[in-house]
């Protein structure tokens, strides 16, 4: 039986009336020609292969802030994603044609479980949660973003890092053909980032697959990106294809590019200025041109959850 039953059709596919009508026509054609052209579809996907599709079974998280979230438009048109250009509007403009799926993630290094996983298989063991987080870029602007994702702590524990693993390193897709910014040498590709294991198993970080309840837009790092709300935005590596458990502190892209300006830790810290500007205050995107800047909070306001991770570390030297 090669013609799909209603139950075989993913909910995400049902949302698009145009596709639905096309499929009806296709099924009719298939029936006409003996039904042999339709491949059996995938069963209901956690991350649907359709732009803007709603994510199912998302539960709310007590870690969310009650500050007002930025608009979908702010969040999806003012971005940093150098693989798609260095201007704030470039990722929105240049990532439209990017087709993230199918996607695989390589898990390697000092862990009991390693291997290559299709995104669906990677995500499936974990619960989807909405986490509304304050985000702070090192460029002194901020947003509040309703992410949907899975707990990084759960992911790390699932792969069972060995006692040798002290860090977890991440890498972004490095594809000259699909990412126009990669063809220009603005950074040393692939984009890479890392956390200590202690940071990675803190309850706050997530691997996001969505925002505002829907599939993550390309410019925000589809299909999967890191979100670490107490660190400057550049830690939040997008389009992740590799996760490696390491003994040594991994290289990170902005530290490689400008070691005097960007360290490994990248904790939001109003008391340590960037060499070229102050970090004491921030501009909330969307607040309007007459809004005054607001003070930046230590650890972006998440100190209660994370300050203990840095006890005894000189935060002026380990910036
Ligand atoms: N692969 C990759 N990830 C990246 C970047 C990038 O250039 N490439 N920019 C970082 C920076 S500087 C910021 S502030 C955040 C912005 O994420 P957002 O636009 O989705 O809010 O993505 C981070 N992740
Ligand atoms: Mo940033």
């Amino acid at each position: 039986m090669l013609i799909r039953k209603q139950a075989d059709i993913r909910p995400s596919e049902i949302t698009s009336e145009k596709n639905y009508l096309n499929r009806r026509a296709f099924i009719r054609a298939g029936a006409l020609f003996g039904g042999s052209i339709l491949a059996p579809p995938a069963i209901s996907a956690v991350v649907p292969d359709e732009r803007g599709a709603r994510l199912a079974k998302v539960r709310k998280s007590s870690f969310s802030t009650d500050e007002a979230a930025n608009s979908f438009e702010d969040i999806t048109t003012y971005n940093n994603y150098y693989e798609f250009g260095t201007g704030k509007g470039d990722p929105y403009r240049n990532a439209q044609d990017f087709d993230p799926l199918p996607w695989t993630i390589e898990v390697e290094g000092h862990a009991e479980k390693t291997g290559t996983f299709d995104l669906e298989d990677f995500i499936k063991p974990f619960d989807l949660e909405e986490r509304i987080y304050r985000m702070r870029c090192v460029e002194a602007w901020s947003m509040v973003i309703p992410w949907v994702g899975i707990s990084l702590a759960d992911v790390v524990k699932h792969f069972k890092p060995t006692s040798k693993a002290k860090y977890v390193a991440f890498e972004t897709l490095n594809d000259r053909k699909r990412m126009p910014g990669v063809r220009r040498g603005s950074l040393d590709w692939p984009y890479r980032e890392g956390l200590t294991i202690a940071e990675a198993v803190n309850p706050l970080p997530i691997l996001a697959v969505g925002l505002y309840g829907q599939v993550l837009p390309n410019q925000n790092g589809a299909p999967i990106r890191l979100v670490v709300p107490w660190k400057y935005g550049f830690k939040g590596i997008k389009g992740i294809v590799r996760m490696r458990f390491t003994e040594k502190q991994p290289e990170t892209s902005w530290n490689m590019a400008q070691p005097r300006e960007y360290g490994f830790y990248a904790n939001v810290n109003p008391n340590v200025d960037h060499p070229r500007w102050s970090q004491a205050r921030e501009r909330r995107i969307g607040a309007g041109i007459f809004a005054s800047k607001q003070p930046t909070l230590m650890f972006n306001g998440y100190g209660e959850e994370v300050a203990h991770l840095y006890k005894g570390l000189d935060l002026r030297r380990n910036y």
Side-chain angles (χ1 to χ4, degrees):
M1 175 58 180
L2 290 160
I3 294 174
R4 298 199 268 192
K5 298 190 295 289
Q6 193 63 28
D8 291 330
I9 295 169
R10 290 176 284 176
S12 62
E13 294 180 294
I14 293 167
T15 57
S16 163
E17 194 177 4
K18 189 159 151 266
N19 284 353
Y20 177 69
L21 295 174
N22 286 344
R23 183 177 312 108
R24 297 262 313 237
F26 197 41
I27 288 171
R28 250 184 280 118
L32 220 72
F33 296 108
S36 58
I37 28 178
L38 278 179
I43 35 153
S44 160
V46 180
V47 181
D49 192 1
E50 190 185 331
R51 224 161 278 195
R54 307 295 304 170
L55 294 165
K57 291 193 215 131
V58 179
R59 66 168 148 94
K60 306 265 179 222
S61 163
S62 57
F63 290 112
S64 290
T65 172
D66 49 22
E67 279 176 73
N70 277 84
S71 69
F72 184 80
E73 196 195 346
D74 286 343
I75 297 169
T76 57
T77 59
Y78 191 90
N79 305 95
N80 275 330
Y81 197 172
Y82 277 36
E83 286 85 339
F84 291 98
T86 55
K88 294 288 176 282
D90 288 347
Y92 169 73
R93 267 195 301 276
N94 300 334
Q96 293 299 324
D97 296 336
F98 183 73
D99 189 2
L101 300 183
W103 190 267
T104 53
I105 300 172
E106 214 93 41
V107 181
E108 30 179 75
H110 299 295
E112 283 176 33
K113 253 178 100 164
T114 55
T116 305
F117 302 88
D118 182 74
L119 180 69
E120 273 298 299
D121 299 327
F122 184 88
I123 296 289
K124 243 184 199 138
F126 312 105
D127 294 332
L128 283 187
E129 277 180 44
E130 179 176 74
R131 303 264 189 114
I132 307 170
Y133 279 156
R134 280 186 297 280
M135 306 300 297
R136 169 62 158 79
C137 177
V138 76
E139 296 163 323
W141 48 267
S142 63
M143 291 199 216
V144 175
I145 303 185
W147 301 111
V148 176
I150 58 177
S151 152
L152 179 64
D154 290 353
V155 172
V156 167
K157 287 170 193 162
H158 177 83
F159 289 103
K160 297 193 167 74
T162 67
S163 59
K164 270 197 166 167
K166 300 287 184 284
Y167 298 88
V168 53
F170 299 92
E171 281 179 20
T172 296
L173 178 71
N174 180 14
D175 190 331
R176 296 173 62 85
K177 288 206 194 80
R178 295 157 74 200
M179 300 170 129
V182 169
R183 294 197 286 273
R184 291 177 226 115
S186 48
L187 286 172
D188 194 355
W189 313 111
Y191 192 97
R192 56 205 99 167
E193 260 307 337
L195 297 170
T196 66
I197 292 286
E199 290 174 328
V201 299
N202 178 277
L204 290 180
I206 57 170
L207 291 173
V209 296
L211 64 82
Y212 267 114
Q214 57 170 270
V215 169
L216 198 62
N218 291 336
Q219 59 272 34
N220 295 91
I224 185 164
R225 57 88 54 87
L226 180 65
V227 173
V228 191
W230 73 92
K231 290 178 183 270
Y232 291 122
F234 63 84
K235 276 273 153 187
I237 179 171
K238 300 178 173 183
I240 297 169
V241 293
R242 181 164 291 109
M243 199 173 129
R244 183 187 304 124
F245 294 98
T246 68
E247 202 172 351
K248 292 208 192 81
Q249 185 175 296
E251 289 184 310
T252 61
S253 283
W254 289 101
N255 180 249
M256 290 162 72
Q258 298 283 356
R260 267 186 21 79
E261 301 188 3
Y262 308 106
F264 175 81
Y265 283 94
N267 289 319
V268 176
N269 188 342
N271 308 315
V272 178
D273 287 342
H274 184 279
R276 291 182 280 138
W277 60 82
S278 165
Q279 294 292 10
R281 302 175 77 75
E282 66 199 47
R283 178 172 61 92
R284 179 61 54 86
I285 299 296
I289 48 170
F290 299 113
S292 53
K293 289 191 171 186
Q294 60 188 73
T296 285
L297 303 172
M298 187 67 200
F299 298 117
N300 202 25
Y302 295 96
E304 213 170 291
E305 289 88 356
V306 301
H308 69 273
L309 293 170
Y310 311 102
K311 281 258 155 64
L313 204 66
D314 179 353
L315 295 179
R316 286 189 176 272
R317 291 195 53 228
N318 297 282
Y319 52 87

